[in-house]
Short mmCIF file of all heavy atoms in Angstrom, two decimals:
data_model
loop_
_atom_site.label_atom_id
_atom_site.label_comp_id
_atom_site.label_asym_id
_atom_site.label_seq_id
_atom_site.Cartn_x
_atom_site.Cartn_y
_atom_site.Cartn_z
N ASN A 37 -27.42 20.38 -24.38
CA ASN A 37 -28.38 21.43 -24.58
C ASN A 37 -29.54 21.37 -23.59
O ASN A 37 -29.88 20.24 -23.21
CB ASN A 37 -28.97 21.32 -26.00
CG ASN A 37 -28.05 21.92 -27.06
OD1 ASN A 37 -27.56 23.04 -26.93
ND2 ASN A 37 -27.89 21.17 -28.20
N PHE A 39 -33.08 23.68 -21.80
CA PHE A 39 -33.86 24.89 -21.70
C PHE A 39 -33.40 25.76 -20.58
O PHE A 39 -33.18 25.26 -19.48
CB PHE A 39 -35.39 24.65 -21.64
CG PHE A 39 -36.03 24.00 -22.85
CD1 PHE A 39 -36.48 22.67 -22.83
CD2 PHE A 39 -36.13 24.75 -24.00
CE1 PHE A 39 -37.03 22.15 -23.96
CE2 PHE A 39 -36.68 24.26 -25.08
CZ PHE A 39 -37.14 22.93 -25.17
N GLU A 46 -37.44 31.97 -22.34
CA GLU A 46 -36.80 30.57 -22.39
C GLU A 46 -36.25 30.26 -23.79
O GLU A 46 -36.92 30.44 -24.85
CB GLU A 46 -37.83 29.55 -22.03
CG GLU A 46 -37.26 28.18 -21.82
CD GLU A 46 -38.30 27.13 -21.56
OE1 GLU A 46 -38.98 26.75 -22.55
OE2 GLU A 46 -38.32 26.64 -20.47
N HIS A 78 -26.49 16.24 -28.98
CA HIS A 78 -27.00 15.18 -29.79
C HIS A 78 -26.23 14.91 -31.08
O HIS A 78 -26.03 13.76 -31.50
CB HIS A 78 -28.53 15.44 -30.09
CG HIS A 78 -29.36 15.36 -28.92
ND1 HIS A 78 -29.96 16.47 -28.35
CD2 HIS A 78 -29.69 14.33 -28.09
CE1 HIS A 78 -30.65 16.06 -27.34
NE2 HIS A 78 -30.50 14.80 -27.13
N THR A 79 -25.82 16.00 -31.76
CA THR A 79 -25.19 15.79 -33.07
C THR A 79 -23.93 16.68 -33.19
O THR A 79 -23.32 16.69 -34.31
CB THR A 79 -26.19 16.09 -34.26
OG1 THR A 79 -26.67 17.37 -34.09
CG2 THR A 79 -27.30 15.11 -34.28
N GLU A 80 -23.61 17.45 -32.22
CA GLU A 80 -22.56 18.48 -32.34
C GLU A 80 -21.36 18.12 -31.49
O GLU A 80 -21.45 17.61 -30.38
CB GLU A 80 -23.05 19.77 -31.76
CG GLU A 80 -24.10 20.49 -32.55
CD GLU A 80 -24.76 21.58 -31.76
OE1 GLU A 80 -24.09 22.68 -31.72
OE2 GLU A 80 -25.86 21.44 -31.22
N GLY A 81 -20.19 18.38 -32.13
CA GLY A 81 -18.96 18.20 -31.40
C GLY A 81 -18.79 19.34 -30.41
O GLY A 81 -19.56 20.34 -30.41
N ASN A 109 -16.65 14.12 -30.07
CA ASN A 109 -17.92 13.74 -30.76
C ASN A 109 -18.98 13.48 -29.65
O ASN A 109 -18.65 13.14 -28.50
CB ASN A 109 -17.69 12.47 -31.59
CG ASN A 109 -17.06 12.76 -32.88
OD1 ASN A 109 -17.18 13.81 -33.41
ND2 ASN A 109 -16.20 11.85 -33.34
N PRO A 110 -20.21 13.57 -30.03
CA PRO A 110 -21.29 13.23 -29.12
C PRO A 110 -21.07 11.80 -28.52
O PRO A 110 -20.66 10.85 -29.20
CB PRO A 110 -22.54 13.22 -30.04
CG PRO A 110 -22.21 14.19 -31.05
CD PRO A 110 -20.75 14.05 -31.32
N GLU A 112 -18.87 10.87 -26.64
CA GLU A 112 -17.45 10.61 -26.32
C GLU A 112 -17.06 11.42 -25.09
O GLU A 112 -17.64 12.44 -24.75
CB GLU A 112 -16.55 11.03 -27.46
CG GLU A 112 -16.73 10.27 -28.69
CD GLU A 112 -15.97 8.90 -28.70
OE1 GLU A 112 -15.38 8.56 -27.56
OE2 GLU A 112 -15.88 8.24 -29.72
N TYR A 132 -15.70 26.16 -30.60
CA TYR A 132 -16.05 25.43 -31.79
C TYR A 132 -17.31 26.07 -32.32
O TYR A 132 -18.23 26.23 -31.60
CB TYR A 132 -16.35 24.01 -31.40
CG TYR A 132 -16.48 23.04 -32.55
CD1 TYR A 132 -15.79 23.21 -33.80
CD2 TYR A 132 -17.38 21.93 -32.55
CE1 TYR A 132 -15.98 22.29 -34.87
CE2 TYR A 132 -17.48 21.07 -33.60
CZ TYR A 132 -16.81 21.29 -34.71
OH TYR A 132 -16.98 20.42 -35.75
N HIS A 175 -27.09 28.38 -34.29
CA HIS A 175 -27.21 27.81 -35.60
C HIS A 175 -27.73 28.78 -36.61
O HIS A 175 -27.18 28.97 -37.66
CB HIS A 175 -28.05 26.54 -35.53
CG HIS A 175 -27.56 25.51 -34.58
ND1 HIS A 175 -26.46 24.80 -34.86
CD2 HIS A 175 -27.96 25.21 -33.31
CE1 HIS A 175 -26.20 23.98 -33.80
NE2 HIS A 175 -27.11 24.26 -32.87
N VAL A 179 -25.79 30.53 -39.77
CA VAL A 179 -26.31 30.51 -41.18
C VAL A 179 -26.34 32.00 -41.72
O VAL A 179 -25.94 32.24 -42.86
CB VAL A 179 -27.64 29.80 -41.26
CG1 VAL A 179 -28.14 29.90 -42.67
CG2 VAL A 179 -27.49 28.41 -40.81
N SER A 182 -22.95 33.38 -42.57
CA SER A 182 -22.39 32.68 -43.75
C SER A 182 -23.22 32.86 -45.02
O SER A 182 -22.92 32.30 -46.06
CB SER A 182 -22.28 31.19 -43.39
OG SER A 182 -21.55 30.97 -42.25
N SER A 183 -24.32 33.61 -44.88
CA SER A 183 -25.24 33.61 -46.05
C SER A 183 -24.71 34.62 -47.08
O SER A 183 -23.85 35.46 -46.91
CB SER A 183 -26.61 34.17 -45.58
OG SER A 183 -27.32 33.13 -44.96
N ARG A 187 -26.05 38.32 -43.81
CA ARG A 187 -27.10 38.93 -42.93
C ARG A 187 -26.38 39.09 -41.53
O ARG A 187 -25.89 38.18 -40.93
CB ARG A 187 -28.17 37.90 -42.72
CG ARG A 187 -28.97 37.67 -43.95
CD ARG A 187 -30.29 36.93 -43.58
NE ARG A 187 -30.80 36.26 -44.74
CZ ARG A 187 -31.98 35.62 -44.64
NH1 ARG A 187 -32.60 35.47 -43.49
NH2 ARG A 187 -32.44 35.00 -45.67
N LYS A 559 -3.17 10.45 -28.36
CA LYS A 559 -3.86 10.05 -29.64
C LYS A 559 -5.32 10.59 -29.61
O LYS A 559 -5.89 10.97 -30.65
CB LYS A 559 -3.90 8.57 -29.79
CG LYS A 559 -2.58 8.01 -30.29
CD LYS A 559 -2.61 6.51 -30.44
CE LYS A 559 -1.26 5.90 -30.72
NZ LYS A 559 -1.30 4.47 -30.59
N SER A 563 -7.67 12.23 -32.91
CA SER A 563 -8.25 10.97 -33.50
C SER A 563 -9.31 11.35 -34.45
O SER A 563 -10.55 11.02 -34.27
CB SER A 563 -8.71 10.09 -32.34
OG SER A 563 -9.37 8.93 -32.87
N GLY A 565 -9.92 12.84 -38.90
CA GLY A 565 -9.37 13.41 -40.13
C GLY A 565 -8.08 12.75 -40.55
O GLY A 565 -7.86 11.55 -40.40
N ALA A 568 -5.90 10.91 -37.83
CA ALA A 568 -6.47 9.51 -37.56
C ALA A 568 -6.07 8.62 -38.66
O ALA A 568 -5.60 7.49 -38.31
CB ALA A 568 -7.99 9.52 -37.37
N LEU A 571 -2.31 7.74 -38.31
CA LEU A 571 -2.09 6.93 -37.14
C LEU A 571 -2.61 5.52 -37.34
O LEU A 571 -1.96 4.53 -36.95
CB LEU A 571 -2.69 7.53 -35.87
CG LEU A 571 -2.06 8.83 -35.44
CD1 LEU A 571 -2.94 9.48 -34.38
CD2 LEU A 571 -0.60 8.65 -34.97
N MET A 572 -3.68 5.41 -38.03
CA MET A 572 -4.18 4.06 -38.30
C MET A 572 -3.39 3.31 -39.36
O MET A 572 -3.33 2.10 -39.42
CB MET A 572 -5.65 4.11 -38.91
CG MET A 572 -6.61 4.54 -37.78
SD MET A 572 -8.42 4.31 -38.23
CE MET A 572 -8.56 5.54 -39.51
N ASN A 573 -2.57 4.11 -40.13
CA ASN A 573 -1.66 3.49 -41.11
C ASN A 573 -0.30 3.36 -40.59
O ASN A 573 0.60 3.11 -41.33
CB ASN A 573 -1.71 4.36 -42.41
CG ASN A 573 -3.00 4.19 -43.13
OD1 ASN A 573 -3.62 3.15 -43.08
ND2 ASN A 573 -3.46 5.24 -43.84
N ASN B 37 -26.42 24.00 -43.62
CA ASN B 37 -27.64 24.75 -43.17
C ASN B 37 -27.83 25.95 -44.01
O ASN B 37 -26.87 26.62 -44.44
CB ASN B 37 -27.44 25.14 -41.68
CG ASN B 37 -27.69 24.13 -40.71
OD1 ASN B 37 -28.68 23.36 -40.80
ND2 ASN B 37 -26.84 23.89 -39.74
N PHE B 39 -30.98 29.15 -45.19
CA PHE B 39 -32.35 29.68 -44.98
C PHE B 39 -33.23 29.21 -46.13
O PHE B 39 -32.82 29.16 -47.25
CB PHE B 39 -32.37 31.21 -45.02
CG PHE B 39 -31.78 31.80 -43.74
CD1 PHE B 39 -30.53 32.57 -43.80
CD2 PHE B 39 -32.40 31.67 -42.49
CE1 PHE B 39 -29.98 33.13 -42.64
CE2 PHE B 39 -31.77 32.19 -41.33
CZ PHE B 39 -30.62 32.92 -41.45
N GLU B 46 -39.80 31.58 -43.26
CA GLU B 46 -38.43 31.26 -43.43
C GLU B 46 -37.84 30.63 -42.12
O GLU B 46 -37.97 31.14 -41.03
CB GLU B 46 -37.62 32.59 -43.73
CG GLU B 46 -36.21 32.19 -44.13
CD GLU B 46 -35.39 33.44 -44.32
OE1 GLU B 46 -35.02 34.18 -43.33
OE2 GLU B 46 -35.05 33.80 -45.49
N HIS B 78 -21.61 23.53 -39.59
CA HIS B 78 -20.60 24.19 -38.77
C HIS B 78 -20.02 23.34 -37.63
O HIS B 78 -18.79 23.32 -37.37
CB HIS B 78 -21.08 25.49 -38.26
CG HIS B 78 -21.30 26.48 -39.42
ND1 HIS B 78 -22.58 26.93 -39.70
CD2 HIS B 78 -20.40 27.08 -40.24
CE1 HIS B 78 -22.47 27.81 -40.77
NE2 HIS B 78 -21.24 27.82 -41.06
N THR B 79 -20.91 22.64 -36.93
CA THR B 79 -20.43 21.90 -35.72
C THR B 79 -21.06 20.55 -35.62
O THR B 79 -20.82 19.77 -34.66
CB THR B 79 -20.79 22.66 -34.49
OG1 THR B 79 -22.19 22.93 -34.45
CG2 THR B 79 -20.04 23.96 -34.35
N GLU B 80 -21.87 20.17 -36.64
CA GLU B 80 -22.68 18.95 -36.54
C GLU B 80 -22.14 17.85 -37.46
O GLU B 80 -21.86 18.19 -38.60
CB GLU B 80 -24.12 19.14 -36.96
CG GLU B 80 -24.88 20.05 -35.93
CD GLU B 80 -26.24 20.41 -36.52
OE1 GLU B 80 -27.12 19.58 -36.54
OE2 GLU B 80 -26.33 21.56 -36.91
N GLY B 81 -22.13 16.62 -37.05
CA GLY B 81 -21.79 15.52 -37.90
C GLY B 81 -23.06 15.26 -38.82
O GLY B 81 -24.11 15.76 -38.60
N ASN B 109 -17.58 14.19 -39.90
CA ASN B 109 -17.34 15.48 -39.09
C ASN B 109 -17.45 16.71 -40.06
O ASN B 109 -17.21 16.53 -41.27
CB ASN B 109 -15.98 15.52 -38.49
CG ASN B 109 -16.00 14.56 -37.23
OD1 ASN B 109 -16.98 14.43 -36.56
ND2 ASN B 109 -14.81 13.95 -36.96
N PRO B 110 -17.68 17.89 -39.52
CA PRO B 110 -17.64 19.06 -40.33
C PRO B 110 -16.30 19.21 -41.09
O PRO B 110 -15.31 18.84 -40.58
CB PRO B 110 -17.78 20.22 -39.28
CG PRO B 110 -18.57 19.58 -38.26
CD PRO B 110 -18.17 18.12 -38.16
N GLU B 112 -15.27 17.38 -43.39
CA GLU B 112 -14.77 16.16 -43.85
C GLU B 112 -15.70 15.70 -45.03
O GLU B 112 -16.82 16.05 -45.20
CB GLU B 112 -14.91 14.97 -42.81
CG GLU B 112 -13.94 15.17 -41.59
CD GLU B 112 -12.55 14.77 -41.86
OE1 GLU B 112 -12.19 14.34 -43.06
OE2 GLU B 112 -11.71 14.69 -40.95
N TYR B 132 -29.06 10.72 -38.32
CA TYR B 132 -28.26 11.16 -37.12
C TYR B 132 -29.05 12.16 -36.38
O TYR B 132 -29.51 13.16 -37.04
CB TYR B 132 -26.97 11.83 -37.62
CG TYR B 132 -25.92 12.02 -36.52
CD1 TYR B 132 -25.79 11.14 -35.44
CD2 TYR B 132 -25.06 13.10 -36.63
CE1 TYR B 132 -24.83 11.47 -34.38
CE2 TYR B 132 -24.11 13.32 -35.62
CZ TYR B 132 -24.00 12.47 -34.49
OH TYR B 132 -23.02 12.73 -33.59
N HIS B 175 -32.96 21.15 -33.04
CA HIS B 175 -32.18 21.13 -31.72
C HIS B 175 -33.10 21.44 -30.58
O HIS B 175 -33.09 20.73 -29.62
CB HIS B 175 -31.20 22.25 -31.83
CG HIS B 175 -30.18 22.10 -32.99
ND1 HIS B 175 -29.19 21.14 -32.90
CD2 HIS B 175 -30.18 22.63 -34.18
CE1 HIS B 175 -28.50 21.24 -34.02
NE2 HIS B 175 -29.11 22.10 -34.89
N VAL B 179 -34.04 18.75 -27.55
CA VAL B 179 -34.04 19.16 -26.15
C VAL B 179 -35.36 18.93 -25.43
O VAL B 179 -35.42 18.31 -24.34
CB VAL B 179 -33.61 20.63 -26.00
CG1 VAL B 179 -33.72 21.04 -24.51
CG2 VAL B 179 -32.22 20.85 -26.60
N SER B 182 -36.02 15.23 -24.88
CA SER B 182 -35.10 14.69 -23.90
C SER B 182 -35.21 15.34 -22.47
O SER B 182 -34.51 15.01 -21.57
CB SER B 182 -33.58 14.91 -24.32
OG SER B 182 -33.40 14.38 -25.59
N ARG B 187 -41.27 17.09 -22.75
CA ARG B 187 -42.14 18.05 -23.47
C ARG B 187 -42.39 17.46 -24.88
O ARG B 187 -41.40 17.33 -25.64
CB ARG B 187 -41.46 19.43 -23.66
CG ARG B 187 -41.10 20.04 -22.32
CD ARG B 187 -40.73 21.44 -22.61
NE ARG B 187 -40.02 22.12 -21.53
CZ ARG B 187 -39.62 23.35 -21.52
NH1 ARG B 187 -39.74 24.07 -22.63
NH2 ARG B 187 -39.00 23.86 -20.44
N HIS B 540 -35.72 8.83 -31.68
CA HIS B 540 -34.94 9.66 -30.70
C HIS B 540 -35.20 9.20 -29.32
O HIS B 540 -34.29 9.27 -28.39
CB HIS B 540 -35.33 11.08 -30.89
CG HIS B 540 -34.51 12.01 -30.08
ND1 HIS B 540 -33.21 12.34 -30.31
CD2 HIS B 540 -34.76 12.72 -28.95
CE1 HIS B 540 -32.73 13.15 -29.40
NE2 HIS B 540 -33.66 13.48 -28.54
N LYS B 559 -11.65 2.03 -43.51
CA LYS B 559 -11.29 2.66 -42.32
C LYS B 559 -12.04 4.00 -42.08
O LYS B 559 -12.38 4.28 -40.93
CB LYS B 559 -9.76 2.94 -42.25
CG LYS B 559 -8.90 1.71 -41.96
CD LYS B 559 -7.43 2.11 -42.02
CE LYS B 559 -6.54 0.89 -41.91
NZ LYS B 559 -5.12 1.23 -42.12
N SER B 563 -13.69 5.61 -38.34
CA SER B 563 -12.48 6.35 -37.90
C SER B 563 -12.95 7.25 -36.68
O SER B 563 -12.84 8.49 -36.75
CB SER B 563 -11.84 7.10 -38.99
OG SER B 563 -10.85 7.93 -38.53
N GLY B 565 -14.01 7.04 -32.13
CA GLY B 565 -14.24 6.30 -30.90
C GLY B 565 -13.31 5.13 -30.68
O GLY B 565 -12.12 5.24 -31.03
N ALA B 568 -11.41 3.71 -33.83
CA ALA B 568 -10.22 4.51 -34.19
C ALA B 568 -9.05 4.20 -33.24
O ALA B 568 -7.99 3.98 -33.68
CB ALA B 568 -10.58 6.01 -34.22
N LEU B 571 -7.61 0.78 -34.09
CA LEU B 571 -6.87 0.83 -35.42
C LEU B 571 -5.61 1.60 -35.25
O LEU B 571 -4.59 1.19 -35.79
CB LEU B 571 -7.79 1.38 -36.49
CG LEU B 571 -8.96 0.57 -36.85
CD1 LEU B 571 -9.98 1.34 -37.82
CD2 LEU B 571 -8.58 -0.77 -37.50
N MET B 572 -5.63 2.64 -34.40
CA MET B 572 -4.35 3.35 -34.20
C MET B 572 -3.38 2.52 -33.38
O MET B 572 -2.14 2.70 -33.45
CB MET B 572 -4.65 4.72 -33.49
CG MET B 572 -5.35 5.72 -34.46
SD MET B 572 -5.47 7.34 -33.76
CE MET B 572 -6.46 7.13 -32.37
N ASN B 573 -3.92 1.62 -32.60
CA ASN B 573 -3.06 0.70 -31.82
C ASN B 573 -2.71 -0.51 -32.57
O ASN B 573 -2.16 -1.49 -31.99
CB ASN B 573 -3.70 0.46 -30.43
CG ASN B 573 -3.65 1.66 -29.58
OD1 ASN B 573 -2.79 2.50 -29.64
ND2 ASN B 573 -4.71 1.84 -28.72
#
Side-chain angles (χ1 to χ4, degrees):
Chain A
N37 278 312
F39 289 114
E46 190 184 73
H78 292 112
T79 55
E80 292 168 77
N109 285 328
E112 294 279 7
Y132 189 33
H175 301 284
V179 175
S182 305
S183 283
R187 298 192 196 181
K559 283 180 189 171
S563 176
L571 294 169
M572 290 192 295
N573 289 329
Chain B
N37 279 313
F39 289 115
E46 191 184 72
H78 293 112
T79 54
E80 293 168 75
N109 285 329
E112 293 279 7
Y132 189 34
H175 302 283
V179 175
S182 305
R187 298 192 195 182
H540 183 76
K559 282 180 190 170
S563 176
L571 293 170
M572 289 191 296
N573 289 330

